[in-house]
Amino acid sequence: KIASVSDTSVSSASAVFTRVVPDLTGSMLLAAATVQQKNVATASTSAGRPAAVYVDFSNGAATAAKLKYAFRDGTSASDTWNTVLIPGTVSPQFPSIAFDESNKPWISYYDAGPTRYYLATNSLSDGTGSWSTYEFPAVPSGALAGLPAANESAVAMYYSGGIAHPVMLIIDNTATAKGVKASKLHATNRTWSATTTIDAITVTGASHLSADFNTSGTIVAAFRNLSTPRVSYSTSSDATTWSTTLAVSAPAQGQGAHIQLNPATGSPAIAYYDRANNVVNLASCS
């Protein structure tokens, strides 16, 4: 289900939520507790049209799962959702989504079949145009780390002169290629910039990768460093160089880390879970 908030100026206790079901098939979670992972991501166009990308486990297994894209091209809660299958996936996991200046969707994901990271885009906002897929330049090698470490992905847009350039971020938790990494795609000539290692994570690995951006050229990223374990933060103003990571949370916190920039001030805020105390925290910076 997807819910839209009808009035964001009132508290969540009294706000009206409109719930819709864009896809009545399949399942977004598997039964085993070890595979309860982040399988859905959302974004909206500049006109406020909502979209979601998610993994469909209709077959009841991680292998041969389907990656789907849903888009609602209308202003009313009663408008229908258009749902399409993103082609070419084998075992998709950890999707993320962002729109560029032309409102084209860009979707990142890790595919456990070929053990590669991919970035897919469609020529139309609703996903009914042609799909193009680009392979991330960093190739995982070695055995995968056990959960909660996971090969996650995030996608952001680097704005320069009003043009958005997709930037893909990944967590590589494999044995010999560990690190939180990023690269910018030059879509016109289908080439990537040199891969930047944001954080050379230790043997323990990382999880819960999240990113956000603004049209001024700022990109921010948050993830949970499992060696600490704390929420870590990094930022970039050119999509190629990243700041030294900062620890944001106290130790043993940070599940579900999610970062966003304040649209009015440009300041970052990170929401995360403190499992030991069963509370959700919001860390913001001036």
Side-chain angles (χ1 to χ4, degrees):
K1 293 184 177 180
I2 295 176
S4 60
V5 186
S6 301
D7 188 352
T8 58
S9 64
V10 299
S11 72
S12 59
S14 56
V16 176
F17 290 81
T18 302
R19 293 174 176 85
V20 295
V21 184
D23 190 349
L24 294 171
T25 63
S27 172
M28 287 173 56
L29 292 176
L30 296 174
T34 55
V35 291
Q36 302 293 316
Q37 302 168 351
K38 179 186 174 185
N39 300 315
V40 61
T42 61
S44 62
T45 67
S46 59
R49 304 292 187 267
V53 57
Y54 56 97
V55 182
D56 181 349
F57 293 111
S58 294
N59 60 355
T63 55
K66 299 175 181 178
L67 189 61
K68 291 184 174 180
Y69 173 71
F71 181 80
R72 192 188 72 185
D73 191 11
T75 59
S76 170
S78 61
D79 288 326
T80 59
W81 287 74
N82 181 62
T83 303
V84 298
L85 182 68
I86 299 174
T89 67
V90 179
S91 183
Q93 300 174 5
F94 304 109
S96 181
I97 181 173
F99 285 93
D100 63 16
E101 84 286 355
S102 300
N103 289 319
K104 290 169 48 181
W106 290 84
I107 297 166
S108 68
Y109 62 96
Y110 172 70
D111 199 318
T115 62
R116 297 290 189 274
Y117 304 90
Y118 295 100
L119 186 62
T121 186
N122 195 275
S123 57
L124 298 176
S125 299
D126 64 2
T128 59
S130 58
W131 287 95
S132 300
T133 302
Y134 307 87
E135 182 181 329
F136 189 77
V139 178
S141 61
L144 290 174
L147 292 173
N151 285 358
E152 300 189 19
S153 80
V155 62
M157 292 290 150
Y158 170 64
Y159 271 84
S160 177
I163 304 299
H165 306 273
V167 178
M168 187 170 172
L169 298 85
I170 65 156
I171 296 179
D172 186 349
N173 279 300
T174 52
T176 59
K178 288 185 180 297
V180 181
K181 305 171 184 178
S183 181
K184 180 174 64 177
L185 176 67
H186 302 276
T188 54
N189 54 13
R190 303 177 67 91
T191 60
W192 294 85
S193 65
T195 302
T196 301
T197 298
I198 299 173
D199 192 334
I201 52 179
T202 63
V203 175
T204 312
S207 65
H208 302 289
L209 177 63
S210 176
D212 196 21
F213 61 95
N214 60 26
T215 56
S216 298
T218 299
I219 301 176
V220 291
F223 58 94
R224 190 178 189 228
N225 189 325
L226 297 173
S227 64
T228 326
R230 298 172 185 258
V231 175
S232 294
Y233 167 83
S234 182
T235 182
S236 176
S237 59
D238 60 6
T240 55
T241 56
W242 292 80
S243 66
T244 302
T245 54
L246 300 174
V248 175
S249 70
Q253 298 178 356
Q255 295 91 342
H258 182 79
I259 190 169
Q260 283 199 256
L261 290 170
N262 185 317
T265 65
S267 300
I270 305 172
Y272 60 91
Y273 181 50
D274 176 358
R275 185 172 184 176
N277 297 300
N278 195 31
V279 295
V280 175
N281 296 318
L282 180 68
S284 59
C285 185
S286 60

